[in-house]
Amino acid sequence: MKASQLLRQIAMAAALVSVMLAASFRAFYPGYPGTVPWPATVPPALLLALALALVADADPDPTPGERRRLHTGAVPWPLTDRPRTDFAVIGLNLLMAVVFMLPGASLSLSPLVLVALTGCVLAVVRARRERREFGESLAEPLLTGPKLVGLRSPEEVPSGWAALVVHRPGHVLRDAAVDYRIHVGGDRVGTIGPGESLVIGLPPGEHRVRGRLGRRTGAPVTVAVAADTVSHLTVEPGGPGGAPYAGHTPRPEEYILLTPGEPAAPPATEPRSGR
């Protein structure tokens, strides 16, 4: 999910919480004067404001593959980009919150309303930045060394060159909506999504390969390739100590794991007995 989407979701949460608090106090207190106690509104407003600060500092690097999956319904609905719908829901809830505030001229809901409005502004600003960065990402930088990119199969690698095929398992749920960036010798040679393979043509010799996702990366792997041969690497989420992801968040430099060979088959699931 892009940062602009997360900012809109946080703003929507702030607007919903404000309406729910006002409606709850009106429903459970018959003599409700239009005032919600400040201790009920300040803590959630502070938590949501902290979430806004953390997300606003995120550094996503969208690729064409990610944009295609997010906008063609290839990922679940919560991950799709629907700014008009989100802003409409936020505006409706803010309007209801203002209506609840009017009877007693209460300002106790103002922290949540302010967080929601701030989230909307940050979402618009961040969406513009993401569109600009996406356009810039279409222009790949020049390669510092001889490499062949944009290949569809190892058979397209000319004689005297070596083919390096990077695989990414498709059954891993983590990062299922984002692409990993593959760097060889410091050059970004392409991106790879879940269940995809990236073919790179390289001259014979040793090459350093690294996976990257925004600020997160992994330890580089040195691959020695020979002419007219095909080598394989698997890129997948990693964990501390190079172990596969096992329920904990790895450090930024250990986020992606590169291992020689093709990916293992997905774990088999036992059929249900129906009892």
Side-chain angles (χ1 to χ4, degrees):
M1 183 178 290
K2 296 184 292 186
S4 60
Q5 294 173 258
L6 286 173
L7 290 170
R8 292 198 307 270
Q9 297 297 326
I10 297 172
M12 189 183 303
L16 286 172
V17 170
S18 64
V19 173
M20 291 175 62
L21 286 174
S24 299
F25 274 86
R26 171 167 289 188
F28 291 104
Y29 295 92
Y32 172 72
T35 302
V36 178
W38 286 93
T41 61
V42 173
L46 291 177
L47 290 176
L48 292 170
L50 177 60
L52 281 179
L54 294 176
V55 174
D57 190 48
D59 187 23
D61 184 15
T63 68
E66 292 171 3
R67 188 179 181 90
R68 183 177 63 253
R69 287 195 296 275
L70 290 171
H71 291 274
T72 58
V75 295
W77 181 84
L79 297 179
T80 55
D81 195 8
R82 302 174 183 267
R84 294 182 180 178
T85 303
D86 292 344
F87 285 129
V89 174
I90 294 171
L92 178 61
N93 283 278
L94 289 180
L95 179 61
M96 295 175 60
V98 172
V99 171
F100 279 120
M101 293 166 61
L102 290 178
S106 172
L107 295 178
S108 58
L109 293 177
S110 56
L112 289 168
V113 174
L114 181 60
V115 170
L117 293 175
T118 304
C120 291
V121 174
L122 291 176
V124 172
V125 173
R126 195 54 190 259
R128 292 179 178 177
R129 173 183 168 185
E130 289 169 352
R131 286 194 296 268
R132 184 182 68 253
E133 291 179 348
F134 174 72
E136 295 172 352
S137 68
L138 296 178
E140 294 290 343
L142 296 176
L143 301 178
T144 59
K147 301 176 182 67
L148 299 177
V149 298
L151 305 176
R152 292 174 294 181
S153 66
E155 288 74 17
E156 296 183 359
V157 177
S159 177
W161 286 67
L164 176 64
V165 184
V166 182
H167 307 273
R168 183 176 173 188
H171 62 275
V172 181
L173 295 180
R174 182 173 149 210
D175 296 338
V178 296
D179 292 343
Y180 287 161
R181 291 71 171 157
I182 303 300
H183 293 250
V184 177
D187 295 329
R188 177 170 157 177
V189 295
T191 60
I192 182 171
E196 296 180 351
S197 296
L198 178 67
V199 181
I200 311 155
L202 300 172
E206 291 189 350
H207 301 273
R208 288 168 61 87
V209 185
R210 182 192 295 268
R212 183 176 294 275
L213 176 60
R215 299 175 181 175
R216 292 163 291 187
T217 181
V221 174
T222 301
V223 180
V225 296
D228 302 320
T229 60
V230 180
S231 302
H232 297 270
L233 285 176
T234 297
V235 59
E236 56 188 337
Y245 180 70
H248 45 243
T249 302
R251 292 189 290 269
E253 67 276 7
E254 298 174 340
Y255 191 86
I256 296 176
L257 179 65
L258 269 170
T259 54
E262 300 185 47
T269 56
E270 298 182 359
R272 297 183 179 181
S273 60
R275 293 181 294 177

